[in-house]
Amino acid sequence: MSDYSIQEFLEKTQRKAAGGSFSLQSSRILEINLAGQIWAKMGSMISYTGEIKFERERAFEHGVERMFKKTFTSEGGELMKANGRGKLFMADQGKQITILDLDHRKITVNGNDLLAFEPTINWDIQMMRKVAGMMSGGLFNITLEGEGKVAITTYFEPLTLLVKPGDPVYTDPSATVAWSGHLTPEFHTDINYRTFLGRGSGESIQMKFEGDGFVIVQPGFETE
């Protein structure tokens, strides 16, 4: 049904009561009950109530080392800081949102798929040296660790693959959303004369995960 009276539409789409710091108003809209500060992807705010101020991440806000990574490796996403008290609503191009409670665990997230995280979480840019020159635009990833909530985004329903010793998992870099923080992916190439002749599968670069952990992938992604 897509034909509503005004009252029916309001009842169907109005904000639902939510609890906790992070909650979902729908599978594609994140609500943050802000009472202090959070970090979020630049441009992800769609609405808010209360007294909230937004500020772009300053060049040296997180130290010289992180600024060096962002400037000289082209790795690192644009972050904004939201300060204040109120209800903050966030989204990212209609992508599906998943809220994760780290509970003192570590996870690495593709920078394009990280929506927001609480300030109690320690984070750093994960340098992907081997990808330089292999993919246009490269990749940047952010490792998060500690206690607090993290919101990630995916195109449609995510799939989690378990990585076991002796049984590596290979993924398309563009489809790879996140993985266990202690895993270190390697880039595996499958380039032969068919690739250069335009007859290959197109999957000439893959990420290879070995060890004991998990990898989260998505079934859709943007292509250049």
Side-chain angles (χ1 to χ4, degrees), residues 16-207:
K16 308 172 187 69
S21 56
F22 281 30
S23 59
L24 294 178
Q25 280 298 314
S26 73
S27 63
R28 303 174 193 278
I29 298 178
L30 173 70
E31 177 181 337
I32 297 176
N33 184 18
L34 188 62
Q37 172 185 305
I38 59 101
W39 286 99
K41 187 174 184 177
M42 180 67 68
S44 58
M45 184 276 289
I46 59 172
S47 182
Y48 71 91
T49 63
E51 297 293 329
I52 301 176
K53 294 185 180 297
F54 301 91
E55 182 181 356
R56 181 186 295 268
E57 177 189 15
R58 296 191 300 273
F60 293 97
E61 181 147 1
H62 297 104
V64 175
E65 182 180 358
R66 288 186 195 170
M67 186 58 198
F68 177 86
K69 292 179 185 178
K70 291 171 71 69
T71 302
F72 295 100
T73 68
S74 299
E75 299 187 18
E78 286 291 325
L79 295 176
M80 67 178 182
K81 180 168 53 177
N83 278 297
R85 303 184 70 87
K87 307 292 184 184
L88 175 58
F89 301 92
M90 315 195 79
D92 184 12
Q93 302 180 50
K95 293 166 67 177
Q96 181 162 308
I97 300 169
T98 301
I99 300 171
L100 302 175
D101 189 344
L102 287 193
D103 193 23
H104 299 287
R105 298 184 69 177
K106 181 190 292 188
I107 190 171
T108 299
V109 182
N110 185 306
N112 290 321
D113 302 316
L114 179 62
L115 182 61
F117 58 93
E118 294 186 294
T120 53
I121 292 174
N122 296 317
W123 65 276
D124 197 6
I125 296 166
Q126 181 75 27
M127 299 177 69
M128 305 295 287
R129 297 180 181 88
K130 292 185 179 180
V131 77
M134 295 171 65
M135 295 181 63
S136 60
L139 289 176
F140 68 89
N141 304 290
I142 298 177
T143 298
L144 306 110
E145 182 177 17
E147 184 176 7
K149 300 288 181 64
V150 175
I152 64 173
T153 60
T154 56
Y155 286 103
F156 312 107
E157 293 282 345
L159 171 68
T160 298
L161 302 170
L162 296 181
V163 181
K164 299 178 181 179
D167 189 13
V169 172
Y170 297 85
T171 64
D172 183 311
S174 297
T176 308
V177 175
W179 58 89
S180 306
H182 61 279
L183 294 181
T184 301
E186 295 182 358
F187 283 87
H188 175 80
T189 59
D190 182 17
I191 299 175
N192 54 37
Y193 78 97
R194 293 176 66 87
T195 303
F196 290 107
L197 291 175
R199 298 177 183 174
S201 68
E203 312 298 333
S204 58
I205 302 173
Q206 301 112 30
M207 296 177 77

